Amino acid sequence: MKIFNFSAGPSMIPHKVMDKAQKEFLNYNGMGIGVSELSHRTIEFSDIIDKTENNIRKLMNIPTEYSISYIPGGASLQFYMIPANFLINWWGCEYIHTGYWSEKAIVEAQKCCYVRVSSSSRDANFRRIPNLRKWKNNPDSSYVHITTNNTIEGTQYHSYPEMEYGVPLVADMSSDIMTKVTDIKQFDMVYASTQKVLGPTGLALVIMKKKLTERSYNKNLPTMLDYNTYIHEKSMHNTPPTFSVYMLMLVTDWLLEQGGIETMDKINMLKSEVIYEKIDASGGYYKNLVEAPHRSRVNIVFRLPTKDLSELFIHQAEEEGLLGLRGHRSVEGIRASMYNAMPLEGVERLVDFMDKFERTHG
Amino acid sequence: MKIFNFSAGPSMIPHKVMDKAQKEFLNYNGMGIGVSELSHRTIEFSDIIDKTENNIRKLMNIPTEYSISYIPGGASLQFYMIPANFLINWWGCEYIHTGYWSEKAIVEAQKCCYVRVSSSSRDANFRRIPNLRKWKNNPDSSYVHITTNNTIEGTQYHSYPEMEYGVPLVADMSSDIMTKVTDIKQFDMVYASTQKVLGPTGLALVIMKKKLTERSYNKNLPTMLDYNTYIHEKSMHNTPPTFSVYMLMLVTDWLLEQGGIETMDKINMLKSEVIYEKIDASGGYYKNLVEAPHRSRVNIVFRLPTKDLSELFIHQAEEEGLLGLRGHRSVEGIRASMYNAMPLEGVERLVDFMDKFERTHG
């Protein structure tokens, strides 16, 4: 039975990538040792890190004024590094609050300074992204932070706020980076933990305008928490998570082979349409509460009429090889995460299962 | 040709471990997905993290009052987390300075407080560990920090300083943890990056008395830099580097199969004796400058009569399948790192090569 893993992260990795990594696990590049055993100071690893950067630049069309870094600790450590590195005063950093993960980012920033939550969709139970068309950032903000896709709530920005007064826009893109065409020039910094879209856990990918750190008022940061360390030493100040970088190389190789982000964008749109159509056609048996214009294309959350039915759904889906459909432990219900690695075939299998389940238990 | 990798880190991983990891890379525990794709919130991963902890407790005989945590960022991030978490005043933390890595730890602590370097072997060019028999720690120190094995200088503590006044002893054991029998109760905290002895890069293993953080005067630490986060949430506050934890499980499984640390201790002693005997018998052709009682059993550094000969040695060794023998970029010469994964066979191959090289170029 073919297995499809709908887990939110760590999540499915393209089969071709896993296959290649397995084949060369004991013998990379004919060296007789695996990447896991390879010193980061070798030419071979240097090639891996360079190739990964080139792939990312190509895929996301990233100009040279942006640096690309690999930082351990996932997005959670970034929640702290961002204020620690980017504050220009102690009162003005600004967050748009859209759910569980944006709140985590806010709490961490509050350890550094006063945080303005200048827009929030809490009143709407986070079932939408706030309306930002008339919103304006403050002129003295150190930066504005958004969470482009809300993995738990199943919401996603489909357009981004425009910044004024030269205030930098910082985005947590952990769950939708490289899943749709995005203009990097709309952002001053973008970051993403790797275990959702980009491969296995172990890193945050950080893309930022190199001169962003120049404004910082904090000049005595710990070495490992200072973006300059990663920029100036090409993420090799200490031993980086080498296997994770290698996997990121393979995943970005694969993305380029598939036709890049444009192709992914189209497939991901199609995949999400298939599921949302099924939900909307179920007459309320499957219920997604997100306001339609803000629905996420990569994390689709829905509920069944009762909690027992949800449990049965998860259980029976698993028996049919559809794994990882349980919603986040902070909410009830179902979540289908389908990043780039999930093929249309997997989504069709899920829809067929939803059909059958509704007929049997509806 | 059988390859032996003498790299200081990332370094050789036991073949049996690599083989098992390769076999189940695409299909862990019959799930149809690999560990890299496995959600950290599954029972299967929970079992991995529990088993790893049990293995470590068993191998190192660790009492329950010590916690075991997996923290991203390697030893370098620990250099900052230690003072950030353990200072009880701003003036008194104490470091024993024994080389390159202890200096890195000192520099990072200096970002937090005044640092007392209360003993140092700098005057001896770090060719020994300072004589600590008559040394006494200060009563008001927050802690004393040592580096038990100096990877670059090739020196190692073979006994540890005794603490007075209840001051905690903290040890960076990155390059000799689990390579020799050690009484954990001599230490209040021990840490090690994993890419030398314990498997691939991606983690620091942190073993500490749980109540050590209670003394701290800093109560508003960033979540990801607070040891309590890892202790209370079993290293699962955010997505841990799952594949690295899994590899650590396999490596510790393997260690137990081999007979535990006692067996490793004996083999590592033997391995280092073979090389040091060869060096000492070469009449100065191979030169190790470390004072004999402080020689490291796991990182053996030596030089040849000229720099050109060293280069030729490294080059020809590589052609014979002996990799990673170049000394650290901060020093000249040769370094043979031989942690637990290096079998006696590899060391014999190296000694045979040293023999042959000396006969040809001596």
Side-chain angles (χ1 to χ4, degrees), chain B residues 183-241:
Chain B
D183 181 6
I184 189 75
K185 293 190 289 300
Q186 285 192 269
F187 302 91
D188 297 84
M189 186 232 190
V190 153
Y191 66 101
S193 60
T194 48
Q195 75 274 7
K196 296 177 185 294
V197 185
L198 302 173
T201 178
L203 293 175
L205 168 63
V206 174
I207 304 166
M208 59 183 266
K209 284 195 178 147
K210 286 175 200 162
K211 60 180 187 181
L212 206 54
T213 56
E214 287 170 14
R215 308 161 69 241
S216 175
Y217 84 150
N218 191 348
K219 296 295 179 201
N220 190 33
L221 285 166
T223 309
M224 292 291 289
L225 302 176
D226 186 339
Y227 288 123
N228 290 308
T229 304
Y230 298 89
I231 296 171
H232 297 147
E233 302 187 52
K234 289 189 79 172
S235 305
M236 298 262 273
H237 169 74
N238 75 333
T239 318

Side-chain angles (χ1 to χ4, degrees), chain A residues 75-76 78-80 82-83 95 99-111 115 143 145 147 172 191:
Chain A
S76 293
Q78 294 307 305
F79 295 163
Y80 175 71
I82 287 162
Y95 282 70
Y100 184 94
W101 288 108
S102 77
E103 179 150 336
K104 293 263 189 192
I106 290 165
V107 167
E108 232 33 46
Q110 282 167 338
K111 300 200 170 196
V115 174
Y143 59 86
H145 182 280
T147 311
D172 178 357
Y191 66 102

Side-chain angles (χ1 to χ4, degrees), chain A residues 93-98 102-103 106-107 110 114-122 126 135 138:
Chain A
C93 66
E94 220 170 316
Y95 282 70
I96 313 283
H97 188 14
T98 49
S102 77
E103 179 150 336
I106 290 165
V107 167
Q110 282 167 338
Y114 175 76
V115 174
R116 288 176 182 146
V117 177
S118 59
S119 187
S120 167
S121 49
R122 188 197 286 277
F126 301 122
W135 168 91
N138 284 282

Side-chain angles (χ1 to χ4, degrees), chain B residues 270-286:
Chain B
L270 193 61
K271 275 151 55 184
S272 62
E273 278 173 356
V274 171
I275 308 258
Y276 283 123
E277 271 170 23
K278 172 72 217 155
I279 290 171
D280 294 341
S282 75
Y285 186 77
Y286 297 115

Side-chain angles (χ1 to χ4, degrees), chain A residues 5 7 10 13 18 22 25-26 37 41 73 76 80 108 111 195 201 221-223 225 238-240 242 329, chain B residues 5 7 13 18 22 25-26 37 39 41 73 76 80 108 111 195 201 221-223 225 238-240 242 329:
Chain A
N5 177 11
S7 178
I13 295 172
M18 290 295 285
Q22 184 186 39
F25 195 76
L26 298 181
E37 303 172 292
R41 302 289 175 201
S76 293
Y80 175 71
E108 232 33 46
K111 300 200 170 196
Q195 75 274 6
T201 178
L221 285 166
T223 309
L225 302 176
N238 75 333
T239 318
T242 50
R329 64 214 147 99
Chain B
N5 177 10
S7 178
I13 295 172
M18 290 295 285
Q22 183 186 40
F25 194 77
L26 298 180
E37 304 172 291
S39 167
R41 303 290 175 202
S76 293
Y80 176 69
E108 232 34 45
K111 300 200 171 196
Q195 75 274 7
T201 178
L221 285 166
T223 309
L225 302 176
N238 75 333
T239 318
T242 50
R329 64 213 147 97

